[in-house]
């Protein structure tokens, strides 16, 4: 079971991603409404914190970056 802080961060992150994917503006009010609609509760500063970080095109830039590198082609084992 995650701590309350981890729960709040995850719920807020998921709300921000859902709004972004839907093409909606990611605002503290929109996130708070979505969080409430899902039956969750978070500390009131989380939506404001996330919305401030994602303001402008930050979310679009993050999604365009993709993940980190993957494994390169490893050594291949060839029995003799």
């Amino acid at each position: 079971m995650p701590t309350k802080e981890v729960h709040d961060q995850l719920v807020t992150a998921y709300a921000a991603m859902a709004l972004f994917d839907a093409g909606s503006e990611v605002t503290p009010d929109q996130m708070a409404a979505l969080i409430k609609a899902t039956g969750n509760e978070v500390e009131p500063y989380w939506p404001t914190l996330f919305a401030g970080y994602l303001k402008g095109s930050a979310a679009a830039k993050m999604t365009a970056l993709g993940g980190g590198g993957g494994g390169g082609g490893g050594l291949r084992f060839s029995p003799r």
Side-chain angles (χ1 to χ4, degrees):
M1 183 86 165
T3 65
K4 171 74 171 136
E5 184 174 345
V6 170
H7 170 268
D8 288 2
Q9 289 176 17
L10 287 172
V11 168
T12 308
Y14 293 147
M17 287 187 280
L19 290 169
F20 179 79
D21 285 346
S24 299
E25 188 176 356
V26 181
T27 65
D29 292 337
Q30 294 260 27
M31 282 192 280
L34 183 56
I35 291 166
K36 184 177 180 181
T38 62
N40 286 287
E41 292 181 11
V42 299
E43 295 293 331
Y45 63 86
W46 284 114
T48 303
L49 184 70
F50 272 71
Y53 179 71
L54 297 173
K55 195 175 217 173
S57 62
K61 287 179 185 175
M62 282 192 303
T63 57
L65 291 175
L75 293 176
R76 189 175 176 129
F77 177 72
S78 299
R80 291 187 185 192

